[in-house]
Amino acid sequence: MAKQSRGLIAYHMGVTTLTLGSVLNVILLLLRIGDYGLELKIANGLLLVFAVDYVIRLGITKNRKIFLIQSAFDLLGIIPLHPVFAFFRLARLVRLIRFHHLFWRLGLSGKWTQAYHRFIYQTGFIYLFSISVVIIVISAFLFSLTEKQSLANALWWAITTATTVGYGDETPHTAFGKIIASFLMVGGIGFIGLLTSTISDFVASRTEQATTNQEAQQQADLDRLLTKIDTLTTKVDHLQTQVDRLTPAKKNKHQKRPRPKS
Protein backbone atom coordinates (compact mmCIF):
# COMPACT_ATOMS: atom_id res chain seq x y z
CA MET A 1 0.00 0.00 0.00
CA ALA A 2 2.85 2.37 0.85
CA LYS A 3 4.59 1.57 -2.45
CA GLN A 4 1.34 2.20 -4.31
CA SER A 5 0.91 5.52 -2.52
CA ARG A 6 4.47 6.59 -3.32
CA GLY A 7 3.96 5.53 -6.93
CA LEU A 8 0.76 7.59 -7.17
CA ILE A 9 2.48 10.65 -5.73
CA ALA A 10 5.38 10.22 -8.18
CA TYR A 11 2.91 9.89 -11.06
CA HIS A 12 1.04 13.05 -10.01
CA MET A 13 4.32 14.95 -9.65
CA GLY A 14 5.27 13.84 -13.15
CA VAL A 15 1.90 14.95 -14.53
CA THR A 16 2.28 18.32 -12.80
CA THR A 17 5.75 18.81 -14.23
CA LEU A 18 4.68 17.86 -17.75
CA THR A 19 1.57 20.06 -17.55
CA LEU A 20 3.49 23.14 -16.46
CA GLY A 21 6.20 22.38 -18.99
CA SER A 22 3.68 22.01 -21.83
CA VAL A 23 1.99 25.30 -20.95
CA LEU A 24 5.33 27.11 -20.76
CA ASN A 25 6.38 25.58 -24.08
CA VAL A 26 3.14 26.72 -25.74
CA ILE A 27 3.63 30.26 -24.41
CA LEU A 28 7.13 30.34 -25.92
CA LEU A 29 5.73 28.86 -29.12
CA LEU A 30 2.99 31.46 -29.43
CA LEU A 31 5.34 34.35 -28.63
CA ARG A 32 7.93 33.02 -31.10
CA ILE A 33 10.64 32.94 -28.45
CA GLY A 34 13.45 30.46 -28.99
CA ASP A 35 13.66 27.67 -31.57
CA TYR A 36 10.17 27.42 -33.10
CA GLY A 37 10.81 24.05 -34.75
CA LEU A 38 12.11 22.46 -31.54
CA GLU A 39 9.24 23.88 -29.48
CA LEU A 40 6.73 22.55 -32.00
CA LYS A 41 8.27 19.07 -31.76
CA ILE A 42 8.14 19.27 -27.95
CA ALA A 43 4.48 20.34 -28.11
CA ASN A 44 3.62 17.41 -30.38
CA GLY A 45 5.56 14.98 -28.18
CA LEU A 46 3.77 16.17 -25.04
CA LEU A 47 0.47 15.97 -26.88
CA LEU A 48 1.18 12.32 -27.63
CA VAL A 49 2.13 11.66 -23.98
CA PHE A 50 -1.06 13.21 -22.64
CA ALA A 51 -3.16 11.42 -25.26
CA VAL A 52 -1.70 8.03 -24.28
CA ASP A 53 -2.20 8.86 -20.61
CA TYR A 54 -5.84 9.77 -21.26
CA VAL A 55 -6.52 6.55 -23.17
CA ILE A 56 -4.89 4.42 -20.44
CA ARG A 57 -6.87 6.12 -17.67
CA LEU A 58 -10.06 5.70 -19.69
CA GLY A 59 -9.31 2.01 -20.14
CA ILE A 60 -8.62 1.22 -16.48
CA THR A 61 -11.33 3.36 -14.89
CA LYS A 62 -14.34 1.58 -13.38
CA ASN A 63 -16.91 4.26 -14.22
CA ARG A 64 -16.29 5.68 -17.69
CA LYS A 65 -19.28 8.02 -17.54
CA ILE A 66 -17.93 9.78 -14.45
CA PHE A 67 -14.45 9.79 -15.97
CA LEU A 68 -15.61 11.43 -19.20
CA ILE A 69 -17.43 14.14 -17.24
CA GLN A 70 -14.61 14.86 -14.81
CA SER A 71 -11.91 14.63 -17.49
CA ALA A 72 -13.62 16.75 -20.12
CA PHE A 73 -10.87 19.39 -19.95
CA ASP A 74 -8.25 16.64 -20.28
CA LEU A 75 -9.87 15.62 -23.55
CA LEU A 76 -9.86 19.23 -24.74
CA GLY A 77 -6.18 19.41 -23.83
CA ILE A 78 -5.24 16.72 -26.36
CA ILE A 79 -7.04 18.22 -29.35
CA PRO A 80 -4.34 18.47 -32.05
CA LEU A 81 -6.02 21.41 -33.77
CA HIS A 82 -3.91 24.13 -32.16
CA PRO A 83 -1.20 24.21 -29.46
CA VAL A 84 -3.28 26.66 -27.40
CA PHE A 85 -5.52 23.76 -26.32
CA ALA A 86 -2.68 22.73 -24.00
CA PHE A 87 -3.94 25.36 -21.55
CA PHE A 88 -6.91 23.09 -20.79
CA ARG A 89 -4.45 20.73 -19.08
CA LEU A 90 -4.21 23.19 -16.19
CA ALA A 91 -7.64 21.98 -15.04
CA ARG A 92 -6.01 18.68 -14.15
CA LEU A 93 -3.75 20.45 -11.68
CA VAL A 94 -6.84 21.78 -9.92
CA ARG A 95 -8.14 18.23 -9.56
CA LEU A 96 -4.78 17.06 -8.21
CA ILE A 97 -4.85 19.88 -5.64
CA ARG A 98 -8.33 18.81 -4.56
CA PHE A 99 -7.34 15.12 -4.58
CA HIS A 100 -4.44 15.68 -2.18
CA HIS A 101 -6.34 18.28 -0.10
CA LEU A 102 -3.50 20.75 -0.50
CA PHE A 103 -5.64 23.73 0.52
CA TRP A 104 -6.53 21.95 3.76
CA ARG A 105 -2.92 20.91 4.37
CA LEU A 106 -1.77 24.49 3.90
CA GLY A 107 -4.42 25.72 6.30
CA LEU A 108 -6.46 27.41 3.59
CA SER A 109 -10.22 27.32 3.38
CA GLY A 110 -11.87 24.80 1.10
CA LYS A 111 -14.61 27.25 0.07
CA TRP A 112 -12.78 28.05 -3.18
CA THR A 113 -12.66 24.42 -4.27
CA GLN A 114 -16.31 23.96 -3.31
CA ALA A 115 -17.28 26.99 -5.36
CA TYR A 116 -15.18 25.70 -8.27
CA HIS A 117 -16.85 22.28 -8.15
CA ARG A 118 -20.30 23.83 -7.88
CA PHE A 119 -19.64 26.16 -10.83
CA ILE A 120 -18.06 23.55 -13.11
CA TYR A 121 -20.40 20.60 -12.50
CA GLN A 122 -23.60 21.58 -10.71
CA THR A 123 -24.40 24.48 -13.04
CA GLY A 124 -23.83 22.32 -16.13
CA PHE A 125 -21.00 24.60 -17.27
CA ILE A 126 -18.73 21.68 -18.16
CA TYR A 127 -21.34 20.18 -20.48
CA LEU A 128 -22.17 23.42 -22.29
CA PHE A 129 -18.52 24.36 -22.58
CA SER A 130 -17.53 20.94 -23.93
CA ILE A 131 -20.34 20.94 -26.50
CA SER A 132 -19.43 24.48 -27.59
CA VAL A 133 -15.78 23.53 -28.03
CA VAL A 134 -16.70 20.36 -29.94
CA ILE A 135 -18.91 22.34 -32.33
CA ILE A 136 -16.14 24.90 -32.91
CA VAL A 137 -13.44 22.24 -33.37
CA ILE A 138 -15.46 20.11 -35.80
CA SER A 139 -16.52 23.19 -37.77
CA ALA A 140 -12.93 24.41 -37.94
CA PHE A 141 -11.66 21.00 -39.05
CA LEU A 142 -14.27 20.69 -41.82
CA PHE A 143 -13.70 24.31 -42.85
CA SER A 144 -9.98 23.61 -43.10
CA LEU A 145 -10.63 20.66 -45.41
CA THR A 146 -13.19 22.32 -47.67
CA GLU A 147 -11.64 25.79 -47.87
CA LYS A 148 -8.02 24.58 -48.02
CA GLN A 149 -7.08 26.64 -44.98
CA SER A 150 -4.60 25.89 -42.20
CA LEU A 151 -6.01 24.52 -38.96
CA ALA A 152 -4.99 27.68 -37.11
CA ASN A 153 -6.83 29.95 -39.57
CA ALA A 154 -9.84 27.63 -39.57
CA LEU A 155 -9.97 27.70 -35.78
CA TRP A 156 -9.74 31.50 -35.80
CA TRP A 157 -12.62 31.64 -38.31
CA ALA A 158 -14.76 29.27 -36.21
CA ILE A 159 -14.22 31.25 -33.01
CA THR A 160 -14.97 34.63 -34.59
CA THR A 161 -18.05 33.19 -36.28
CA ALA A 162 -19.42 31.42 -33.20
CA THR A 163 -18.95 34.51 -31.03
CA THR A 164 -20.67 36.72 -33.67
CA VAL A 165 -17.55 38.90 -33.96
CA GLY A 166 -17.02 38.11 -37.65
CA TYR A 167 -13.97 40.14 -38.69
CA GLY A 168 -14.38 38.92 -42.26
CA ASP A 169 -10.70 38.07 -42.77
CA GLU A 170 -11.66 34.42 -43.29
CA THR A 171 -14.88 33.59 -45.16
CA PRO A 172 -16.26 30.43 -46.82
CA HIS A 173 -16.23 30.38 -50.61
CA THR A 174 -17.47 26.88 -51.39
CA ALA A 175 -21.04 25.67 -50.99
CA PHE A 176 -20.06 23.07 -48.39
CA GLY A 177 -18.11 25.70 -46.49
CA LYS A 178 -21.18 27.93 -46.35
CA ILE A 179 -23.27 25.01 -45.05
CA ILE A 180 -20.69 24.47 -42.29
CA ALA A 181 -20.81 28.16 -41.45
CA SER A 182 -24.61 28.05 -41.25
CA PHE A 183 -24.58 25.16 -38.79
CA LEU A 184 -21.89 26.89 -36.75
CA MET A 185 -23.89 30.11 -36.62
CA VAL A 186 -27.02 28.33 -35.35
CA GLY A 187 -25.50 25.70 -33.06
CA GLY A 188 -22.42 27.54 -31.86
CA ILE A 189 -24.14 30.83 -31.08
CA GLY A 190 -26.94 28.99 -29.26
CA PHE A 191 -24.62 27.04 -26.99
CA ILE A 192 -22.30 29.99 -26.40
CA GLY A 193 -25.36 32.05 -25.45
CA LEU A 194 -26.33 29.36 -22.93
CA LEU A 195 -22.75 29.31 -21.70
CA THR A 196 -22.77 33.07 -21.13
CA SER A 197 -26.12 32.97 -19.36
CA THR A 198 -24.89 30.14 -17.11
CA ILE A 199 -21.92 32.24 -16.02
CA SER A 200 -24.15 35.29 -15.46
CA ASP A 201 -26.69 33.28 -13.45
CA PHE A 202 -23.95 31.76 -11.29
CA VAL A 203 -22.41 35.16 -10.52
CA ALA A 204 -25.84 36.66 -9.81
CA SER A 205 -26.82 33.77 -7.53
CA ARG A 206 -23.52 33.98 -5.64
CA THR A 207 -23.99 37.73 -5.18
CA GLU A 208 -27.57 37.25 -4.02
CA GLN A 209 -26.53 34.46 -1.66
CA ALA A 210 -23.74 36.61 -0.21
CA THR A 211 -26.19 39.50 0.30
CA THR A 212 -28.75 37.17 1.91
CA ASN A 213 -26.11 35.68 4.22
CA GLN A 214 -24.92 39.14 5.21
CA GLU A 215 -28.47 40.28 5.98
CA ALA A 216 -29.13 37.08 7.93
CA GLN A 217 -25.91 37.60 9.92
CA GLN A 218 -26.87 41.19 10.68
CA GLN A 219 -30.35 40.09 11.78
CA ALA A 220 -28.83 37.38 13.99
CA ASP A 221 -26.47 39.92 15.57
CA LEU A 222 -29.40 42.28 16.14
CA ASP A 223 -31.45 39.50 17.73
CA ARG A 224 -28.58 38.61 20.07
CA LEU A 225 -28.17 42.27 21.01
CA LEU A 226 -31.90 42.63 21.75
CA THR A 227 -31.78 39.46 23.84
CA LYS A 228 -28.89 40.82 25.88
CA ILE A 229 -30.73 44.12 26.32
CA ASP A 230 -33.83 42.27 27.53
CA THR A 231 -31.73 40.22 29.95
CA LEU A 232 -30.01 43.34 31.24
CA THR A 233 -33.36 45.11 31.61
CA THR A 234 -34.74 42.20 33.63
CA LYS A 235 -31.72 42.24 35.93
CA VAL A 236 -32.02 46.00 36.42
CA ASP A 237 -35.75 45.66 37.24
CA HIS A 238 -34.97 42.88 39.72
CA LEU A 239 -32.26 45.00 41.33
CA GLN A 240 -34.60 47.96 41.52
CA THR A 241 -37.24 45.80 43.22
CA GLN A 242 -34.71 44.68 45.83
CA VAL A 243 -33.66 48.30 46.42
CA ASP A 244 -37.29 49.32 46.85
CA ARG A 245 -37.79 46.56 49.43
CA LEU A 246 -34.71 47.54 51.40
CA THR A 247 -35.52 51.25 51.52
CA PRO A 248 -38.65 51.02 53.85
CA ALA A 249 -36.81 48.58 56.11
CA LYS A 250 -33.99 51.06 56.59
CA LYS A 251 -36.47 53.85 57.29
CA ASN A 252 -38.24 51.78 59.98
CA LYS A 253 -34.94 50.86 61.55
CA HIS A 254 -33.96 54.51 61.83
CA GLN A 255 -37.34 55.39 63.31
CA LYS A 256 -37.13 52.65 66.02
CA ARG A 257 -33.73 53.84 67.27
CA PRO A 258 -34.04 55.47 70.75
CA ARG A 259 -33.29 59.12 70.91
CA PRO A 260 -30.33 60.06 73.09
CA LYS A 261 -31.26 61.67 76.51
CA SER A 262 -30.52 65.31 76.89
Side-chain angles (χ1 to χ4, degrees):
M1 186 65 67
K3 292 183 178 180
Q4 184 179 3
S5 178
R6 287 196 296 268
L8 182 62
I9 293 175
Y11 167 72
H12 286 167
M13 291 181 62
V15 169
T16 301
T17 303
L18 290 177
T19 299
L20 295 177
S22 65
V23 171
L24 178 61
N25 181 71
V26 168
I27 293 175
L28 296 177
L29 188 64
L30 295 177
L31 297 179
R32 300 282 180 159
I33 299 176
D35 190 343
Y36 182 84
L38 177 61
E39 292 166 356
L40 186 60
K41 292 179 180 179
I42 293 175
N44 293 332
L46 290 173
L47 174 65
L48 180 61
V49 171
F50 280 101
V52 171
D53 173 73
Y54 181 86
V55 172
I56 293 175
R57 288 188 295 126
L58 178 62
I60 64 177
T61 187
K62 295 180 180 179
N63 193 328
R64 289 187 173 85
K65 181 179 180 181
I66 299 293
F67 176 84
L68 291 174
I69 293 174
Q70 294 182 347
S71 304
F73 285 112
D74 295 351
L75 181 60
L76 297 177
I78 58 176
I79 294 177
L81 195 62
H82 196 278
V84 75
F85 282 92
F87 286 104
F88 287 116
R89 299 168 191 166
L90 292 174
R92 189 167 181 185
L93 297 185
V94 177
R95 294 206 312 279
L96 292 181
I97 290 174
R98 295 181 66 243
F99 179 81
H100 291 286
H101 306 289
L102 293 184
F103 284 114
W104 177 80
R105 294 177 186 274
L106 294 175
L108 302 176
S109 174
K111 293 182 178 179
W112 185 87
T113 56
Q114 293 175 2
Y116 167 80
H117 188 274
R118 185 162 52 251
F119 171 67
I120 293 295
Y121 298 108
Q122 295 183 4
T123 62
F125 174 84
I126 185 64
Y127 309 107
L128 293 174
F129 184 79
S130 300
I131 294 173
S132 300
V133 172
V134 167
I135 292 175
I136 291 175
V137 167
I138 293 177
S139 300
F141 181 73
L142 296 177
F143 183 85
S144 175
L145 294 178
T146 57
E147 300 294 327
K148 308 301 180 182
Q149 294 283 347
S150 65
L151 291 175
N153 289 338
L155 180 63
W156 170 253
W157 166 83
I159 293 175
T160 56
T161 302
T163 55
T164 69
V165 176
Y167 288 111
D169 52 346
E170 299 290 342
T171 57
H173 300 286
T174 64
F176 193 67
K178 293 178 180 179
I179 294 175
I180 296 172
S182 300
F183 279 107
L184 178 60
M185 292 174 189
V186 176
I189 292 174
F191 278 102
I192 289 178
L194 290 174
L195 192 65
T196 305
S197 64
T198 299
I199 298 174
S200 302
D201 291 343
F202 179 78
V203 173
S205 64
R206 292 283 294 179
T207 304
E208 183 179 358
Q209 183 181 0
T211 304
T212 302
N213 293 339
Q214 184 178 3
E215 292 176 353
Q217 183 64 35
Q218 292 177 351
Q219 185 63 39
D221 293 339
L222 180 60
D223 292 340
R224 285 194 294 269
L225 179 60
L226 292 175
T227 301
K228 291 181 180 180
I229 292 175
D230 291 339
T231 303
L232 182 61
T233 303
T234 302
K235 291 181 179 180
V236 171
D237 293 340
H238 180 67
L239 181 61
Q240 184 65 43
T241 301
Q242 291 181 342
V243 170
D244 293 340
R245 290 178 180 176
L246 292 174
T247 301
K250 288 183 178 180
K251 288 182 178 179
N252 295 333
K253 186 176 181 180
H254 286 298
Q255 291 176 357
K256 290 180 179 179
R257 284 183 181 178
R259 295 181 180 181
K261 295 181 179 181
S262 57

